[in-house]
Amino acid sequence: MIQEAKRDAEVDRVGRVFGDYIKESPYLDWMWSDKLGYILMQISFEGQEIVECHVIREAARLCWILFPEIADDVVLRTQNDHATYEADLSERSRIRKRLKPYTDQLPEYRYLCEKLWER
């Protein structure tokens, strides 16, 4: 017999905070599965296939996946092709500015942003 997954208020809250970003991204999808719970899919837009799938059980894990995703968006917009931890001071400033709406709403996860600069 399959056990039914249970919703988590904190994961729901974090999912709502990132909701517009996920909805607008051609590379992400967020869904609920009665069997597994919360699922974040990373999509290859070109290949129209799921390249990575995460079952999310903790809100911090969702933030840890999405903060780097947003940071990568910023780095790519500067037309650079390097890892986020290699961002120069200007890029880091732009990344922090782009993440600010999320960290303002989720201050308890702000510490994860500082981990973006670690290898």
Side-chain angles (χ1 to χ4, degrees):
M1 185 165 168
I2 296 173
Q3 185 174 348
E4 188 173 321
K6 294 187 172 136
R7 292 195 176 264
D8 179 276
E10 185 63 8
V11 176
D12 279 335
R13 181 176 79 92
V14 171
R16 281 191 305 276
V17 168
F18 285 104
D20 287 341
Y21 176 78
I22 294 169
K23 186 175 181 176
E24 293 171 9
S25 173
Y27 306 106
L28 297 171
D29 204 359
W30 176 245
M31 62 177 284
W32 172 259
S33 163
D34 287 334
K35 294 176 184 173
L36 295 173
Y38 305 94
I39 299 173
L40 180 69
M41 294 178 283
Q42 293 173 299
I43 303 164
S44 166
F45 187 69
E46 296 78 24
Q48 297 271 312
E49 62 186 10
I50 299 166
V51 292
E52 203 164 340
C53 189
H54 306 274
V55 175
I56 304 295
R57 292 190 171 87
E58 297 174 353
R61 173 112 169 98
L62 181 57
C63 288
W64 181 238
I65 294 168
L66 292 175
F67 285 160
E69 188 79 24
I70 294 168
D72 287 346
D73 288 349
V74 173
V75 170
L76 289 174
R77 284 192 184 127
T78 63
Q79 299 186 359
N80 288 320
D81 187 21
H82 57 73
T84 303
Y85 64 82
E86 296 174 318
D88 63 27
L89 292 176
S90 174
E91 288 171 323
R92 288 182 185 202
S93 175
R94 280 180 274 205
I95 291 168
R96 284 186 179 101
K97 183 177 180 179
R98 179 68 179 95
L99 290 172
K100 188 174 183 336
Y102 305 103
T103 57
D104 283 353
Q105 295 177 73
L106 303 166
E108 64 273 36
Y109 302 109
R110 188 174 288 135
Y111 73 96
L112 293 170
C113 291
E114 293 309 310
K115 291 184 176 223
L116 293 172
W117 322 131
E118 297 173 7
R119 277 187 183 245

